[in-house]
């Protein structure tokens, strides 16, 4: 995609959805971190179903620790890999209480030092909670970036680096939400819905689907 096409691509997405938000439900930075940690290889819908029961009971690091691992597992057992996620979340909560006063840190280095928190999770927290122009490359963003020609790359990190270079600064903070939503609902894995896509005129994918 040319710089002009990229500008038009994001301007169109912005006009359609000026204030995009994550589909994960949360009311605090810690709830966001918890939801993102639980969402690996799981759907946002499935995570929200579990956290709607968990957060009214335990929505701080200390309250999660007070539940104990078995207690926590009882709330999240509907989520894939729930045992390992519970273990990671318990360890993360211990570190937050012991080293960070129960608060979620604002730096990539400190976030990535938390068990179960990789680069993608850190990017989501930095972007959604703290408004930093990071790019959390999930399966949807990886597919959209390659298929459209926006930011081709063979690995999530390569795509992330390309996106950081190619997305115009004016769209940087919200761009990862727009790309996720585009990939989830329009530029789908099996068959992109080009005929209903608002930005199909600007992307390099050929041949366009017609329905």
């Amino acid at each position: 995609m040319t710089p002009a096409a990229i500008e038009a691509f994001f301007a169109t997405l912005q006009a359609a959805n000026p204030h995009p938000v994550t589909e994960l439900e949360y009311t605090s930075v810690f709830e966001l971190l918890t939801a993102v940690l639980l969402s690996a290889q799981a759907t946002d819908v499935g995570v929200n179903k579990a956290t709607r029961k968990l957060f009214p009971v335990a929505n701080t690091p200390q309250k999660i620790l007070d539940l104990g691992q078995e207690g926590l597992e009882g709330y999240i057992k509907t989520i894939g890999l729930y045992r390992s996620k519970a273990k990671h979340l318990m360890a993360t909560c211990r570190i937050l209480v012991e080293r960070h006063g129960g608060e979620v840190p604002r730096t990539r280095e400190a976030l990535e030092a938390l068990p179960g928190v990789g680069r993608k999770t850190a990017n989501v927290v930095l972007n959604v909670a703290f408004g930093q122009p990071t790019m959390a490359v999930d399966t949807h963003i990886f597919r959209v970036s390659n298929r459209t020609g926006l930011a081709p790359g063979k690995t999530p990190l390569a795509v992330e680096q390309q996106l950081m270079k190619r997305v115009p600064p004016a769209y940087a903070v919200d761009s990862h939400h727009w790309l996720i939503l585009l990939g989830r609902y329009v530029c789908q894995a099996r068959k992109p819905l080009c005929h209903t896509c608002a930005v199909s005129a600007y992307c390099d994918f050929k041949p366009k689907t017609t329905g």
Side-chain angles (χ1 to χ4, degrees):
M1 289 171 69
T2 64
I6 291 172
E7 170 67 36
F9 179 92
F10 282 108
T12 302
L13 293 175
Q14 183 185 56
N17 185 4
H19 305 291
V21 294
T22 177
E23 293 187 323
L24 290 170
E25 296 170 1
Y26 70 97
T27 60
S28 69
V29 180
F30 175 70
E31 286 187 2
L32 174 67
L33 174 65
T34 299
V36 178
L37 193 153
L38 296 175
S39 72
Q41 297 177 4
T43 65
D44 289 359
V45 171
V47 172
N48 290 339
K49 195 173 175 183
T51 58
R52 279 177 203 143
K53 295 175 183 175
L54 171 65
F55 289 157
V57 176
N59 65 344
T60 68
Q62 188 59 57
K63 286 179 180 176
I64 295 282
L65 291 173
D66 292 344
L67 279 180
Q69 181 151 336
E70 281 192 26
L72 175 59
E73 286 178 2
Y75 284 99
I76 66 170
K77 63 188 177 187
T78 54
I79 300 172
L81 308 173
Y82 74 93
R83 283 198 175 91
S84 65
K85 289 176 181 178
K87 185 178 173 184
H88 286 147
L89 182 54
M90 293 293 286
T92 279
C93 288
R94 202 164 290 114
I95 291 171
L96 291 176
V97 168
E98 292 173 359
R99 300 184 201 169
H100 300 286
E103 298 295 318
V104 177
R106 290 173 168 259
T107 68
R108 176 186 300 284
E109 186 180 26
L111 284 167
E112 290 188 18
L114 299 171
V117 177
R119 185 177 182 87
K120 187 176 80 171
T121 298
N123 278 341
V124 173
V125 174
L126 291 170
N127 177 270
V128 176
F130 302 128
Q132 295 187 26
T134 55
M135 187 62 68
V137 178
D138 68 351
T139 181
H140 299 298
I141 292 184
F142 186 80
R143 177 175 66 255
V144 169
S145 297
N146 277 287
R147 182 184 273 160
T148 63
L150 171 63
K154 293 186 176 177
T155 65
L157 181 58
V159 168
E160 179 187 333
Q161 289 169 339
Q162 280 282 87
L163 286 167
M164 296 302 284
K165 289 179 194 168
R166 305 196 74 193
V167 175
Y171 308 111
V173 172
D174 291 327
S175 57
H176 107 266
H177 287 310
W178 289 321
L179 294 174
I180 285 173
L181 294 170
L182 184 65
R184 188 173 284 164
Y185 298 112
V186 182
C187 198
Q188 297 172 344
R190 289 187 181 177
K191 184 182 180 184
L193 307 178
C194 302
H195 56 292
T196 65
C197 178
V199 291
S200 65
Y202 310 115
C203 102
D204 294 342
F205 178 69
K206 301 283 190 296
K208 308 286 190 196
T209 61
T210 55

